[in-house]
Short mmCIF file of all heavy atoms in Angstrom, two decimals:
data_model
loop_
_atom_site.label_atom_id
_atom_site.label_comp_id
_atom_site.label_asym_id
_atom_site.label_seq_id
_atom_site.Cartn_x
_atom_site.Cartn_y
_atom_site.Cartn_z
N PRO X 938 24.48 54.53 6.05
CA PRO X 938 23.65 55.16 7.12
C PRO X 938 24.63 56.24 7.73
O PRO X 938 25.68 55.84 8.19
CB PRO X 938 23.24 54.17 8.03
CG PRO X 938 23.33 52.96 7.32
CD PRO X 938 24.44 52.95 6.34
N ILE X 940 24.44 57.30 10.49
CA ILE X 940 24.61 57.06 11.86
C ILE X 940 26.04 56.17 12.01
O ILE X 940 26.64 56.08 13.10
CB ILE X 940 23.41 56.09 12.40
CG1 ILE X 940 23.42 56.09 13.90
CG2 ILE X 940 23.49 54.65 11.96
CD1 ILE X 940 22.08 56.73 14.55
N HIS X 941 26.52 55.60 10.93
CA HIS X 941 27.69 54.88 11.00
C HIS X 941 28.93 55.80 11.60
O HIS X 941 29.82 55.31 12.42
CB HIS X 941 28.24 54.32 9.78
CG HIS X 941 27.48 53.04 9.41
ND1 HIS X 941 27.80 52.19 8.33
CD2 HIS X 941 26.47 52.47 10.11
CE1 HIS X 941 26.84 51.06 8.42
NE2 HIS X 941 26.12 51.21 9.43
N LEU X 942 28.91 57.06 11.10
CA LEU X 942 29.96 57.99 11.59
C LEU X 942 29.80 58.38 13.08
O LEU X 942 30.81 58.37 13.75
CB LEU X 942 29.91 59.23 10.61
CG LEU X 942 30.39 59.09 9.29
CD1 LEU X 942 30.42 60.37 8.46
CD2 LEU X 942 31.97 58.58 9.32
N ARG X 943 28.57 58.37 13.47
CA ARG X 943 28.30 58.68 14.97
C ARG X 943 28.68 57.45 15.78
O ARG X 943 29.43 57.67 16.74
CB ARG X 943 26.73 58.88 15.12
CG ARG X 943 26.29 60.29 14.67
CD ARG X 943 24.94 60.60 15.16
NE ARG X 943 24.68 62.03 15.02
CZ ARG X 943 23.57 62.54 15.53
NH1 ARG X 943 22.73 61.81 16.15
NH2 ARG X 943 23.37 63.81 15.25
N ALA X 944 28.41 56.34 15.31
CA ALA X 944 28.76 55.11 16.03
C ALA X 944 30.29 55.07 16.09
O ALA X 944 30.77 54.79 17.17
CB ALA X 944 28.16 53.90 15.30
N ALA X 945 30.96 55.34 15.02
CA ALA X 945 32.44 55.18 15.07
C ALA X 945 32.97 56.20 16.03
O ALA X 945 33.89 55.79 16.78
CB ALA X 945 32.94 55.45 13.60
N SER X 946 32.41 57.29 16.14
CA SER X 946 33.05 58.41 16.96
C SER X 946 32.69 57.97 18.43
O SER X 946 33.47 58.22 19.32
CB SER X 946 32.64 59.80 16.71
OG SER X 946 31.38 60.00 16.92
N SER X 947 31.41 57.56 18.59
CA SER X 947 31.14 57.12 20.11
C SER X 947 32.02 55.97 20.42
O SER X 947 32.30 55.82 21.65
CB SER X 947 29.59 56.61 20.05
OG SER X 947 29.45 55.29 19.72
N LEU X 948 32.52 55.17 19.58
CA LEU X 948 33.42 54.11 19.89
C LEU X 948 34.88 54.47 20.10
O LEU X 948 35.76 53.59 20.35
CB LEU X 948 33.26 53.06 18.83
CG LEU X 948 31.96 52.37 18.83
CD1 LEU X 948 31.82 51.46 17.52
CD2 LEU X 948 31.68 51.53 20.05
N GLY X 949 35.16 55.86 19.81
CA GLY X 949 36.43 56.42 20.15
C GLY X 949 37.30 56.69 19.02
O GLY X 949 38.36 57.07 19.12
N ALA X 950 36.70 56.65 17.70
CA ALA X 950 37.42 56.97 16.47
C ALA X 950 37.48 58.52 16.30
O ALA X 950 36.39 59.15 16.27
CB ALA X 950 36.91 56.22 15.30
N HIS X 951 38.57 59.11 16.10
CA HIS X 951 38.70 60.38 15.63
C HIS X 951 37.97 60.66 14.39
O HIS X 951 38.00 59.57 13.56
CB HIS X 951 40.24 60.81 15.45
CG HIS X 951 40.42 62.23 15.16
ND1 HIS X 951 40.50 62.60 13.87
CD2 HIS X 951 40.71 63.30 15.96
CE1 HIS X 951 40.77 64.03 13.92
NE2 HIS X 951 40.92 64.34 15.18
N PRO X 952 37.43 61.86 13.99
CA PRO X 952 36.73 61.97 12.72
C PRO X 952 37.57 61.42 11.55
O PRO X 952 36.85 60.85 10.51
CB PRO X 952 36.32 63.41 12.69
CG PRO X 952 36.25 63.92 14.14
CD PRO X 952 37.21 62.93 14.86
N SER X 954 39.78 59.12 11.31
CA SER X 954 39.94 57.72 11.43
C SER X 954 38.51 57.18 11.21
O SER X 954 38.50 56.07 10.45
CB SER X 954 40.45 57.29 12.88
OG SER X 954 40.06 56.00 13.18
N ALA X 955 37.41 57.72 11.72
CA ALA X 955 36.13 57.33 11.37
C ALA X 955 35.98 57.24 9.88
O ALA X 955 35.30 56.25 9.21
CB ALA X 955 35.06 58.08 12.03
N ARG X 958 38.22 54.47 8.26
CA ARG X 958 38.16 52.99 8.56
C ARG X 958 36.63 52.61 8.31
O ARG X 958 36.30 51.36 8.20
CB ARG X 958 38.51 52.72 9.96
CG ARG X 958 39.98 53.10 10.14
CD ARG X 958 40.42 52.64 11.50
NE ARG X 958 39.98 51.27 11.77
CZ ARG X 958 40.41 50.70 12.97
NH1 ARG X 958 41.25 51.22 13.66
NH2 ARG X 958 40.03 49.36 13.21
N VAL X 959 35.69 53.57 8.43
CA VAL X 959 34.24 53.13 8.28
C VAL X 959 33.68 53.61 7.01
O VAL X 959 32.82 52.93 6.29
CB VAL X 959 33.47 53.68 9.54
CG1 VAL X 959 32.01 53.43 9.27
CG2 VAL X 959 33.98 52.99 10.82
N TRP X 960 33.98 54.95 6.66
CA TRP X 960 33.20 55.44 5.44
C TRP X 960 33.83 55.07 4.09
O TRP X 960 33.18 54.56 3.27
CB TRP X 960 33.03 56.92 5.67
CG TRP X 960 31.74 57.61 5.13
CD1 TRP X 960 30.50 57.25 5.82
CD2 TRP X 960 31.41 58.23 4.14
NE1 TRP X 960 29.40 57.82 5.13
CE2 TRP X 960 30.09 58.54 4.10
CE3 TRP X 960 32.28 58.91 3.00
CZ2 TRP X 960 29.37 59.34 3.16
CZ3 TRP X 960 31.58 59.72 2.13
CH2 TRP X 960 30.14 59.92 2.07
N PRO X 962 35.87 52.71 3.18
CA PRO X 962 35.71 51.29 2.76
C PRO X 962 34.54 50.93 2.10
O PRO X 962 34.34 50.24 1.20
CB PRO X 962 36.01 50.53 4.06
CG PRO X 962 36.66 51.31 4.92
CD PRO X 962 36.34 52.68 4.64
N GLN X 963 33.41 51.75 2.73
CA GLN X 963 31.95 51.38 2.18
C GLN X 963 31.81 52.07 0.84
O GLN X 963 30.81 51.72 0.21
CB GLN X 963 30.96 51.82 3.25
CG GLN X 963 31.08 50.87 4.38
CD GLN X 963 29.88 51.10 5.43
OE1 GLN X 963 28.92 50.98 5.04
NE2 GLN X 963 30.13 51.71 6.59
N MET H 516 21.39 62.26 23.05
CA MET H 516 22.39 62.69 21.99
C MET H 516 23.24 63.83 22.51
O MET H 516 24.32 63.89 22.13
CB MET H 516 21.61 63.08 20.73
CG MET H 516 20.97 61.96 20.04
SD MET H 516 22.19 60.72 19.43
CE MET H 516 21.41 59.27 20.08
N PHE H 521 26.67 64.26 20.39
CA PHE H 521 26.28 64.48 18.98
C PHE H 521 25.44 65.74 18.79
O PHE H 521 25.21 66.16 17.74
CB PHE H 521 25.41 63.21 18.44
CG PHE H 521 26.20 62.05 18.44
CD1 PHE H 521 25.61 60.84 19.03
CD2 PHE H 521 27.55 61.84 18.07
CE1 PHE H 521 26.28 59.64 19.06
CE2 PHE H 521 28.25 60.72 18.07
CZ PHE H 521 27.61 59.61 18.62
N GLU H 522 24.93 66.19 19.92
CA GLU H 522 24.28 67.48 19.84
C GLU H 522 24.80 68.37 20.84
O GLU H 522 25.15 67.97 21.90
CB GLU H 522 22.61 67.25 20.10
CG GLU H 522 21.99 66.25 19.10
CD GLU H 522 21.80 66.97 17.67
OE1 GLU H 522 22.12 68.11 17.52
OE2 GLU H 522 21.39 66.17 16.85
N PRO H 541 32.62 63.71 20.71
CA PRO H 541 32.05 62.31 21.20
C PRO H 541 33.27 61.33 21.38
O PRO H 541 33.05 60.46 22.29
CB PRO H 541 31.22 62.06 19.98
CG PRO H 541 30.84 63.28 19.31
CD PRO H 541 31.98 64.32 19.58
N HIS H 542 34.24 61.41 20.50
CA HIS H 542 35.27 60.41 20.54
C HIS H 542 36.09 60.41 21.70
O HIS H 542 36.89 59.46 21.93
CB HIS H 542 35.97 60.26 19.16
CG HIS H 542 36.89 61.37 19.02
ND1 HIS H 542 36.42 62.60 18.30
CD2 HIS H 542 38.19 61.60 19.15
CE1 HIS H 542 37.38 63.43 18.38
NE2 HIS H 542 38.48 62.81 18.74
N ILE H 546 32.01 57.19 26.10
CA ILE H 546 30.73 56.70 26.40
C ILE H 546 30.25 55.73 25.40
O ILE H 546 30.29 55.95 24.19
CB ILE H 546 29.73 57.89 26.48
CG1 ILE H 546 30.09 58.96 27.50
CG2 ILE H 546 28.29 57.33 26.70
CD1 ILE H 546 29.15 60.16 27.50
N VAL H 548 27.64 53.79 23.09
CA VAL H 548 26.27 54.09 22.66
C VAL H 548 25.70 52.83 21.72
O VAL H 548 26.50 52.33 20.90
CB VAL H 548 26.24 55.31 21.68
CG1 VAL H 548 24.83 55.66 21.35
CG2 VAL H 548 26.89 56.49 22.33
N PHE H 550 22.70 51.88 19.11
CA PHE H 550 21.62 52.65 18.39
C PHE H 550 20.60 51.66 18.05
O PHE H 550 20.68 50.49 17.94
CB PHE H 550 22.31 53.16 17.11
CG PHE H 550 23.28 54.23 17.29
CD1 PHE H 550 24.66 53.78 17.30
CD2 PHE H 550 23.09 55.64 17.47
CE1 PHE H 550 25.57 54.68 17.61
CE2 PHE H 550 23.96 56.42 17.78
CZ PHE H 550 25.37 56.13 17.64
N SER H 552 19.28 51.33 15.12
CA SER H 552 19.48 50.73 13.80
C SER H 552 20.78 49.92 13.87
O SER H 552 21.42 49.48 12.89
CB SER H 552 19.59 51.56 12.84
OG SER H 552 20.58 52.62 13.15
N ALA H 554 23.77 50.00 13.72
CA ALA H 554 24.98 50.73 13.20
C ALA H 554 26.19 49.90 13.09
O ALA H 554 27.31 50.33 13.53
CB ALA H 554 25.28 51.91 13.92
N LEU H 555 25.94 48.56 12.85
CA LEU H 555 27.14 47.77 12.72
C LEU H 555 27.86 48.10 11.28
O LEU H 555 27.16 48.44 10.44
CB LEU H 555 26.78 46.35 12.74
CG LEU H 555 26.23 45.75 14.07
CD1 LEU H 555 25.79 44.27 14.04
CD2 LEU H 555 27.14 46.03 15.21
N PHE H 556 29.14 48.00 11.13
CA PHE H 556 29.80 48.30 9.98
C PHE H 556 29.82 47.09 9.09
O PHE H 556 30.37 46.11 9.34
CB PHE H 556 31.29 48.74 10.33
CG PHE H 556 31.29 49.84 11.30
CD1 PHE H 556 32.26 49.80 12.37
CD2 PHE H 556 30.37 50.87 11.22
CE1 PHE H 556 32.32 50.78 13.26
CE2 PHE H 556 30.50 51.95 12.27
CZ PHE H 556 31.50 51.86 13.25
N PRO H 557 29.11 47.24 7.86
CA PRO H 557 28.84 46.05 7.07
C PRO H 557 30.14 45.28 6.41
O PRO H 557 30.14 44.31 6.05
CB PRO H 557 27.90 46.42 6.02
CG PRO H 557 28.15 47.97 6.00
CD PRO H 557 28.56 48.43 7.36
N HIS H 558 31.22 46.30 6.32
CA HIS H 558 32.39 45.73 5.60
C HIS H 558 33.32 45.04 6.53
O HIS H 558 34.52 44.54 6.20
CB HIS H 558 33.15 46.93 4.92
CG HIS H 558 33.60 48.00 5.93
ND1 HIS H 558 32.61 48.82 6.52
CD2 HIS H 558 34.81 48.46 6.27
CE1 HIS H 558 33.26 49.60 7.30
NE2 HIS H 558 34.55 49.45 7.14
N MET H 559 32.93 44.99 7.88
CA MET H 559 33.78 44.29 8.91
C MET H 559 33.11 43.02 9.37
O MET H 559 31.87 42.98 9.41
CB MET H 559 34.11 45.17 10.12
CG MET H 559 34.83 46.52 9.75
SD MET H 559 35.13 47.45 11.22
CE MET H 559 35.63 48.89 10.57
N PHE H 567 36.73 47.11 17.12
CA PHE H 567 36.89 48.50 16.48
C PHE H 567 37.29 49.46 17.64
O PHE H 567 38.29 50.17 17.53
CB PHE H 567 35.63 48.85 15.82
CG PHE H 567 35.84 50.26 15.15
CD1 PHE H 567 36.43 50.46 13.97
CD2 PHE H 567 35.28 51.44 15.84
CE1 PHE H 567 36.55 51.71 13.39
CE2 PHE H 567 35.48 52.72 15.18
CZ PHE H 567 36.12 52.82 13.85
N PRO H 568 36.42 49.50 18.72
CA PRO H 568 36.88 50.51 19.85
C PRO H 568 38.30 50.23 20.47
O PRO H 568 38.94 51.07 20.89
CB PRO H 568 35.77 50.47 20.75
CG PRO H 568 34.97 49.13 20.42
CD PRO H 568 35.22 48.91 19.05
N SER H 570 40.77 48.82 18.77
CA SER H 570 41.78 49.03 17.86
C SER H 570 42.19 50.50 17.50
O SER H 570 43.26 51.04 17.51
CB SER H 570 41.60 48.27 16.45
OG SER H 570 41.01 49.27 15.54
N VAL H 571 40.97 51.31 17.72
CA VAL H 571 41.22 52.81 17.66
C VAL H 571 41.97 53.30 18.88
O VAL H 571 42.46 54.40 18.80
CB VAL H 571 39.95 53.60 17.45
CG1 VAL H 571 39.36 53.37 16.05
CG2 VAL H 571 38.93 53.54 18.47
N ARG H 572 41.87 52.47 19.93
CA ARG H 572 42.56 52.96 21.24
C ARG H 572 43.96 52.27 21.18
O ARG H 572 44.68 52.45 22.25
CB ARG H 572 41.77 52.41 22.41
CG ARG H 572 40.48 53.35 22.69
CD ARG H 572 39.71 52.77 23.78
NE ARG H 572 38.59 53.63 24.24
CZ ARG H 572 37.52 53.91 23.39
NH1 ARG H 572 37.37 53.31 22.29
NH2 ARG H 572 36.69 54.73 23.90
N ARG H 615 29.80 45.58 21.26
CA ARG H 615 30.77 46.63 20.84
C ARG H 615 30.80 47.86 21.60
O ARG H 615 31.83 48.39 21.88
CB ARG H 615 30.44 46.99 19.36
CG ARG H 615 31.42 47.92 18.73
CD ARG H 615 31.04 48.08 17.23
NE ARG H 615 29.81 48.96 17.17
CZ ARG H 615 29.23 49.32 16.04
NH1 ARG H 615 29.93 49.09 15.04
NH2 ARG H 615 28.13 50.06 16.01
#
Side-chain angles (χ1 to χ4, degrees):
Chain X
I940 200 117
H941 280 187
L942 286 178
R943 284 189 166 189
S946 71
S947 81
L948 295 168
H951 185 272
S954 155
R958 298 185 52 173
V959 174
W960 220 65
Q963 294 191 62
Chain H
M516 292 299 135
F521 300 134
E522 302 290 353
H542 65 276
I546 299 174
V548 184
F550 299 91
S552 57
L555 296 179
F556 307 138
H558 59 294
M559 298 182 191
F567 184 82
S570 97
V571 296
R572 284 173 172 77
R615 190 176 66 173

